[in-house]
Amino acid sequence: MDSVNITLPDDAWKDSFDKLLDPRPQLRELNIIKRNVRRSFNFDSSVENSNSNLLSVSNVSHPNLLEPKTPGPSANMKLTANNVSSISTPCPKRLRSMLFDCALSPIGGLKLDGLIADLNPKMIEVKENAEAPIRKTKQVCFKPNVDKPQIAVADRKRTKTVLAEIRRSSLVLQPGKWQKNLITWRRTCHQQDMPPRSDPGQKQSLPKKSTPAVNLEATIRNSRKSVNVKTSLEAVMPLSHEKQVLKYCNQRRALRFGTAYAASKMIGSSKIGEGVYGEVFKYTPKNSTEIDVVLKVIPIEGEIQVNGETQKTFEQILPEIIISKEMCNLRDNQANATLGYVDIYNVCLVKGHYPDHLIHLWEDFDSAKESENEHPEIFSDSQLFIVLELKYAGTDLSTFTFLNAEQSYYALQQIASALAVGEEALQFEHRDLHWGNILIEKTDNRELAYKLNGKDLSVKTKGIKLTIIDYTLSRVTVDENCHYNDLSVDEELFEATGDYQYDIYRMMRDELKNDWSKYAPKTNVFWISYINSKLIDGVKYRNPNSKTHKLYLDKLKTLQDIMLTFSSAGDCIRHINNCS
Ligand SMILES: Nc1ncnc2c1ncn2[C@@H]1O[C@H](COP(=O)(O)OP(=O)(O)OP(=O)(O)O)[C@@H](O)[C@H]1O
């Protein structure tokens, strides 16, 4: 009988990386190199893949929507016409797909200007193999970034459009705190568009971080709305927003900033963070040395722009105060309770110059980490501030090193459980739960207790406790009032790329059909899916080679495969509890 020789050549198992190492055996001994190189390909691919200019993804864009295990609204989700339809999920299914199924670096491939699908043998193979479900649904083609000759011959209007397109497509933001990124991007763009303006009145003592030369448009994050859906006495004769804020502060008038937060009352203080709207300090109160307090100091009602943004008004800060208090109150709620939202000790309205000792802390932080915010000396003596006094809740997820995936698996359960409780109690959607807005601290408690619809739940801590912060974009219903941030007029946020995070804003917009007052708990599922993607392929692990790590990493991946079929965080948590 004729035997057909189907034996593969000896080096058939080798990939291009192995071939590269063959003539350099000393490098092969450093196994770690190979592992790291591969990992960073996958990780960086999230950046590359989410650049709308490089990839044109039609039809269903999210990997988890390709093969939903159960049909749901998300299964039909399409990112439509005027949306940027790029998705950047660094997810296992995606890694199995065509882009990564080649010997060459997918990233190098993406950067080849002028490469078109028909010239790529891999793409031809995909066209012919109409049976393969993953490849069939995801129609990716490489296109040249910009058609240069066309710009040259086009009329002015067309050129302007193309240039605007180029500028927009370059809106690649870092993961995490997008507001700062966006402002820096806007500054750069506007400064490129407009002639530089001299500012003779600028104070010499205020260096690089002084008010930007360009008067930026009022931004979307100032479009906070509170909609009363029921006529109550207060709705007929509403208190002024200032009075409502004072009511929440238990004050009749603003206190002097320097007196309320005098250096003598604060031990071991330091500046620990900053956002677009405020500075964050940490200290131990002199009369209560057991606890660490965090001050989030937000200037309001002033004329001057701060960090490139118009200051919030009483009306705009009120929902953030209300949401912070309501979420914190869930600690003691009868039917739906959780400790997962940051504990708020007090809210205070203060007036006056920034106290000297806080200015020194600001300068220390600036020297060590280079602040992106403006020097607090810009504030006059009539400046008002809202100060949120919060419980210190640890370091953020992006900088935390987990022991292993078992620890992060239960961390995900903590977040999903807290969101589920928020949904039931207040129709809560966080809407901006990136990894800078989840804080982690150590705990001695073995389990954390939750109450969901009157039912007791518990989640293992594995030594850590997670806390959700920052409700700037959040939505809640309190006493039939709906508080939300209207993002419908925003342009740039939905065009940003650079991380799966920026796909989530587009996915939320599609889910809500751009009506940001609507309650759609699916947005919480989107953020759980984002957090899970970070736990799978973004955070650091101390023991990534242990059996336990691998076992739980698989659990996270299995969950990720079906994540977007859940309709709410509650739905997701019910599934997890049924499985365990
Ligand atoms: N309770 C807390 N415990 C520990 N650190 C905190 C706490 N609250 C805030 N921080 C730190 O301060 C940073 C800024 O806080 P936060 O995100 O609330 O500010 P923000 O002004 O809303 O930021 P953004 O620019 O996203 O609007 C956080 O990323 C975190 O590092």
Side-chain angles (χ1 to χ4, degrees):
M1 207 163 97
D2 282 342
S3 68
V4 180
N5 184 5
I6 54 165
T7 316
L8 291 171
D10 281 345
D11 64 351
W13 58 273
K14 291 181 179 179
D15 62 18
S16 55
F17 191 88
D18 290 305
K19 287 172 187 168
L20 190 75
L21 286 187
D22 270 347
R24 301 170 183 82
Q26 71 278 21
L27 283 182
R28 182 176 291 285
E29 277 158 31
L30 301 169
N31 248 346
I32 193 166
I33 292 178
K34 179 171 174 176
R35 209 175 57 234
N36 285 349
V37 170
R38 285 195 168 154
R39 186 179 161 78
S40 68
F41 273 12
N42 298 348
F43 188 62
D44 287 343
S45 68
S46 96
V47 174
E48 294 284 348
N49 292 351
S50 76
N51 186 331
S52 60
N53 209 28
L54 296 174
L55 271 184
S56 154
V57 182
S58 61
N59 204 352
V60 180
S61 298
H62 194 281
N64 289 328
L65 298 177
L66 299 178
E67 298 175 295
K69 295 215 171 132
T70 53
S74 62
N76 295 323
M77 187 199 298
K78 288 181 185 175
L79 300 173
T80 50
N82 56 348
N83 304 342
V84 173
S85 50
S86 61
I87 287 286
S88 51
T89 327
C91 153
K93 278 198 180 162
R94 192 168 177 79
L95 304 183
R96 278 203 299 273
S97 76
M98 170 184 64
L99 270 175
F100 295 84
D101 194 14
C102 59
L104 284 173
S105 153
I107 294 170
L110 285 171
K111 281 181 176 163
L112 294 176
D113 275 359
L115 180 66
I116 58 167
D118 289 346
L119 297 179
N120 185 339
K122 287 277 169 194
M123 300 293 285
I124 293 165
E125 188 189 312
V126 171
K127 274 189 190 167
E128 283 168 2
N129 185 6
E131 297 301 303
I134 293 177
R135 295 180 178 198
K136 200 173 136 197
T137 45
K138 184 160 161 282
Q139 297 163 8
V140 179
C141 62
F142 298 149
K143 284 187 178 164
N145 286 358
V146 177
D147 195 341
K148 285 174 190 150
Q150 215 180 334
I151 295 174
V153 295
D155 61 27
R156 270 195 182 172
K157 207 171 156 197
R158 164 88 182 120
T159 310
K160 213 172 153 193
T161 318
V162 174
L163 286 175
E165 205 43 54
I166 296 167
R167 198 180 68 184
R168 195 169 297 146
S169 67
S170 66
L171 179 46
V172 180
L173 303 182
Q174 295 294 312
K177 292 215 157 287
W178 56 273
Q179 304 202 22
K180 279 177 165 298
N181 278 282
L182 201 52
I183 284 170
T184 311
W185 178 85
R186 274 201 216 118
R187 279 178 182 166
T188 320
C189 280
H190 284 259
Q191 274 157 2
Q192 278 166 2
D193 288 354
M194 300 173 84
R197 226 203 302 174
S198 62
D199 192 357
Q202 197 174 309
K203 257 172 130 183
Q204 280 304 313
S205 58
L206 304 181
K208 53 193 182 329
K209 294 167 209 86
S210 57
T211 310
V214 186
N215 189 16
L216 299 163
E217 308 141 19
T219 62
I220 38 102
R221 285 165 305 285
N222 283 338
S223 52
R224 260 280 178 206
K225 287 188 181 169
S226 296
V227 177
N228 200 305
V229 289
K230 184 185 161 199
T231 313
S232 64
L233 191 61
E234 281 203 350
V236 178
M237 291 175 55
L239 286 175
S240 74
H241 294 111
E242 180 179 359
K243 289 231 165 71
Q244 289 185 61
V245 167
L246 282 166
K247 202 171 133 191
Y248 274 99
C249 297
N250 283 323
Q251 292 172 234
R252 296 177 65 177
R253 66 185 70 84
L255 308 175
R256 292 300 300 169
F257 196 175
T259 317
Y261 297 99
S264 57
K265 298 178 182 171
M266 298 159 71
I267 303 171
S269 34
S270 61
K271 173 174 160 175
I272 58 164
E274 60 183 27
V276 166
Y277 289 112
E279 304 290 342
V280 182
F281 302 94
K282 179 185 166 200
Y283 72 99
T284 310
K286 197 173 174 197
N287 52 5
S288 165
T289 49
E290 296 291 287
I291 55 167
D292 283 332
V293 177
V294 163
L295 297 183
K296 186 168 166 184
V297 183
I298 308 162
I300 58 163
E301 290 283 338
E303 295 283 303
I304 56 164
Q305 287 200 339
V306 184
N307 309 323
E309 288 289 311
T310 312
Q311 291 182 36
K312 290 187 181 189
T313 60
F314 279 115
E315 183 178 3
Q316 287 156 350
I317 197 71
L318 189 59
E320 191 164 345
I321 298 173
I322 294 172
I323 299 174
S324 303
K325 286 222 162 186
E326 292 293 337
M327 300 321 290
C328 172
N329 287 347
L330 292 179
R331 288 162 183 266
D332 311 316
N333 193 289
Q334 288 290 313
N336 290 293
T338 173
L339 302 175
Y341 298 97
V342 69
D343 198 358
I344 180 162
Y345 296 134
N346 192 25
V347 187
C348 193
L349 178 68
V350 295
K351 186 176 183 172
H353 282 300
Y354 233 81
D356 282 346
H357 72 106
L358 294 184
I359 287 188
H360 292 145
L361 298 179
W362 189 96
E363 287 168 349
D364 290 346
F365 180 95
D366 189 38
S367 308
K369 299 194 176 154
E370 197 159 347
S371 169
E372 288 172 31
N373 283 358
E374 292 177 54
H375 195 291
E377 268 180 14
I378 59 168
F379 297 113
S380 73
D381 202 40
S382 59
Q383 177 69 52
L384 290 168
F385 299 89
I386 280 292
V387 182
L388 300 175
E389 296 177 24
L390 309 164
K391 182 172 184 279
Y392 177 75
T395 51
D396 74 48
L397 178 62
S398 70
T399 54
F400 188 77
T401 302
F402 287 91
L403 210 55
N404 55 32
E406 185 186 25
Q407 202 179 39
S408 65
Y409 178 79
Y410 289 106
L412 188 78
Q413 273 197 43
Q414 287 189 35
I415 294 299
S417 304
L419 289 173
V421 171
E423 285 171 356
E424 285 302 328
L426 296 158
Q427 299 192 325
F428 173 75
E429 293 169 58
H430 189 285
R431 295 186 176 175
D432 198 19
L433 199 52
H434 58 72
W435 62 354
N437 284 338
I438 293 178
L439 303 179
I440 306 181
E441 62 190 327
K442 296 222 160 75
T443 177
D444 293 331
N445 295 332
R446 294 172 73 88
E447 294 193 333
L448 284 170
Y450 299 82
K451 231 175 196 168
L452 188 59
N453 281 326
K455 235 179 111 183
D456 289 318
L457 296 178
S458 73
V459 176
K460 289 179 188 163
T461 65
K462 293 289 159 187
I464 54 171
K465 178 182 179 302
L466 281 80
T467 301
I468 294 172
I469 61 164
D470 196 356
Y471 310 114
T472 316
L473 299 191
S474 301
R475 182 232 180 264
V476 287
T477 309
V478 181
D479 297 334
E480 301 189 50
N481 284 300
C482 157
H483 304 282
Y484 69 103
N485 199 318
D486 187 3
L487 295 175
S488 61
V489 289
D490 185 64
E491 282 182 20
E492 291 120 339
L493 175 60
F494 300 108
E495 286 161 359
T497 58
D499 194 77
Y500 181 33
Q501 178 186 345
Y502 299 105
D503 299 324
I504 303 289
Y505 302 112
R506 290 187 278 277
M507 290 159 70
M508 287 200 297
R509 183 177 62 176
D510 287 352
E511 183 66 28
L512 292 160
K513 307 219 162 38
N514 217 14
D515 174 3
W516 296 83
S517 67
K518 226 165 80 179
Y519 172 53
K522 182 98 187 181
T523 66
N524 288 332
V525 176
F526 295 157
W527 285 107
I528 299 171
S529 138
Y530 154 88
I531 301 290
N532 199 14
S533 78
K534 288 286 179 231
L535 298 177
I536 292 169
D537 199 13
V539 299
K540 294 181 279 271
Y541 287 103
R542 199 174 308 152
N543 299 321
N545 295 321
S546 67
K547 256 191 188 164
T548 309
H549 178 76
K550 284 170 188 155
L551 180 74
Y552 278 88
L553 197 62
D554 280 346
K555 284 188 181 216
L556 287 174
K557 287 177 182 171
T558 306
L559 192 57
Q560 187 72 343
D561 283 347
I562 55 166
M563 185 62 80
L564 292 179
T565 64
F566 299 124
S567 57
S568 63
D571 192 16
C572 171
I573 221 61
R574 272 185 291 274
H575 169 87
I576 292 173
N577 287 336
N578 286 341
C579 290
S580 56

